[in-house]
Amino acid sequence: MAERAALEELVKLQGERVRGLKQQKASAELIEEEVGKLLKLKAQLGPDESKQKFVLKTPKETLMGKYGEDSKLIYDLKDQGGELLSLRYDLTVPFARYLAMNKLTNIKRYHIAKDFDIAGNFDPMIPDAECLKIMCEILSSLQIGDFLVKVNDRRILDGMFAICGVSDSKFRTICSSVDKLDKVSWEEVKNEMVGEKGLAPEVADRIGDYVQQHGGVSLVEQLLQDPKLSQNKQALEGLGDLKLLFEYLTLFGIDDKISFDLSLARGLDYYTGVIYEAVLLQTPAQAGEEPLGVGSVAAGGRYDGLVGMFDPKGRKVPCVGLSIGVERIFSIVEQRLEALEEKVRTTETQVLVASAQKKLLEERLKLVSELWDAGIKAELLYKKNPKLLNQLQYCEEAGIPLVAIIGEQELKDGVIKLRSVTSREEVNVRREDLVEEIKRRTGQPLCIC
């Protein structure tokens, strides 16, 4: 305890020194040196078990060199003291650094609405299959249309490049070119590899014979018999793991959503094994045509070597994860709703409790309380005597599907007028039956008494 307290005091003092240098606008070199000292002290300190914190902070130098040609997507800026900072491109590199600094070897991480990762030494392809299952569940539940998950393996790519005659120094840059095949034609990719990156045309042609293939487990088995590819150790390991992965995906019932695609490269440098990317499919114009991809909405893969880059002793922690393209999905949903001339729902409210006459606030409060107690997502306008037209307009603007209207006559008859906002159809429902009717219309489980 005393040793930890001393370290905490050193961290505090070093932090104050860094802040002071920034306020004094000291040189960037001096600030960088002192920040480095601060980070080393924090690494020695390790995690405080009494504080449940999960913070991903990453300095500029940590991000560089991990993304290949995608490093251009890292945006740089300097603070007032001249320290070079960056807007992180993703959370994978910061997550790996967090594991190394805190000496963690087993963890599952879910970052709200975006990322999911599994870290630890486990039997091959079980965590990878779970990640793909999660990806398929998320995309299916969003109901944004048909999708296909492309899978490949970095070891297969590297083995393929090797047998085709690509030099080691060109592996990653050629990999980046191949990754563009979902956007441009093979001829354009070939021209880039030959014209811009200096690859021999015959080598590019050999690559083309492979990267234009896609299929299922049958393609994996076919490549396992390929006279050249099967002689490459890396490719053979990757193909063996993919065959096992397809077995697990079949058990999970999602193998029909998965395609082994040799053109999938994922340009990020930190991937070491299985990689995957989900694309939405648009309906083919003519019968018999293949579905066309309309963009990536999720992606991920295995990055077994990344944590070791940050561990002082180089200890490796195998990791696999996925990321959901939330912004892309939002854009797609909004475009489709606009095309259908539907409003975007801004609330989860299922029913608005409204009144047709004045002096019915107490009755509205009673009814909304009954609905809340029954698990119905209900609300009311915060006015004593709102106009009925204003209440109906609010439902249309917010996308609330139902209105439960209370009036003097309804109170006498013991009923509630239930109105569908879209069709404007109104029916009288006995008050004791209202909850079940709302649940039936909104697809909620009915009460079995």
Side-chain angles (χ1 to χ4, degrees), residues 347-410:
T347 177
E348 288 191 353
T349 302
Q350 297 163 313
V351 58
L352 179 81
V353 175
S355 55
Q357 289 97 26
K358 294 181 178 180
K359 299 182 180 179
L360 291 174
L361 174 61
E362 288 153 1
E363 295 298 332
R364 283 192 294 137
L365 290 172
K366 285 181 194 175
L367 181 56
V368 79
S369 180
E370 289 175 21
L371 296 178
W372 287 339
D373 291 343
I376 302 291
K377 295 173 182 175
E379 65 174 284
L380 74 166
L381 295 191
Y382 301 135
K383 289 189 174 182
K384 283 187 177 181
N385 300 305
K387 293 181 180 178
L388 181 59
L389 180 61
N390 291 345
Q391 295 171 89
L392 296 177
Q393 285 178 339
Y394 173 74
C395 289
E396 289 184 359
E397 291 168 1
I400 299 173
L402 298 171
V403 189
I405 303 173
I406 302 174
E408 292 174 359
Q409 189 61 47
E410 284 79 15

Side-chain angles (χ1 to χ4, degrees), residues 422-435:
T422 51
S423 69
R424 301 187 178 181
E425 176 190 3
E426 295 181 344
V427 293
N428 286 333
V429 180
R430 290 171 51 129
R431 187 160 183 148
E432 58 266 30
D433 298 332
L434 181 63
V435 168

Side-chain angles (χ1 to χ4, degrees), residues 253-290:
I254 59 170
D255 54 306
D256 60 325
K257 295 286 188 185
I258 312 295
S259 172
F260 173 30
D261 193 323
L262 281 159
S263 71
L264 179 65
R266 301 287 297 144
L268 305 180
D269 278 2
Y270 51 66
Y271 286 123
T272 57
V274 171
I275 50 177
Y276 35 84
E277 182 175 275
V279 294
L280 290 187
L281 302 174
Q282 61 188 22
T283 307
Q286 301 292 332
E289 289 183 7
E290 290 190 4

Side-chain angles (χ1 to χ4, degrees), residues 131-182:
C131 284
L132 286 165
K133 174 69 171 174
I134 290 168
M135 181 182 285
C136 288
E137 283 185 352
I138 291 171
L139 295 178
S140 295
S141 65
L142 288 171
Q143 298 181 342
I144 53 177
D146 291 336
F147 63 90
L148 183 71
V149 181
K150 301 177 182 180
V151 300
N152 199 359
D153 193 295
R154 269 294 174 83
R155 294 166 295 177
I156 298 173
L157 280 167
D158 288 351
M160 178 187 69
F161 290 149
I163 66 168
C164 288
V166 180
S167 63
D168 291 353
S169 62
K170 288 186 180 290
F171 270 24
R172 288 295 166 256
T173 186
I174 296 303
C175 188
S176 180
S177 295
V178 169
D179 200 39
K180 297 175 183 176
L181 275 171
D182 63 331

Side-chain angles (χ1 to χ4, degrees), residues 64 67-76 89 176 180:
M64 298 309 296
Y67 299 107
E69 293 189 3
D70 281 352
S71 290
K72 61 189 176 185
L73 297 175
I74 297 173
Y75 294 90
D76 297 338
Y89 173 64
S176 180
K180 297 175 183 176

Side-chain angles (χ1 to χ4, degrees), residues 206-236:
R206 288 196 286 269
I207 292 172
D209 291 338
Y210 283 107
V211 298
Q212 295 180 80
Q213 297 184 62
H214 55 85
V217 69
S218 59
L219 178 58
V220 177
E221 292 169 345
Q222 176 188 321
L223 292 174
L224 280 167
Q225 303 303 317
D226 184 284
K228 292 183 178 178
L229 200 59
S230 62
Q231 299 305 307
N232 182 277
K233 183 181 177 183
Q234 272 191 300
L236 200 59

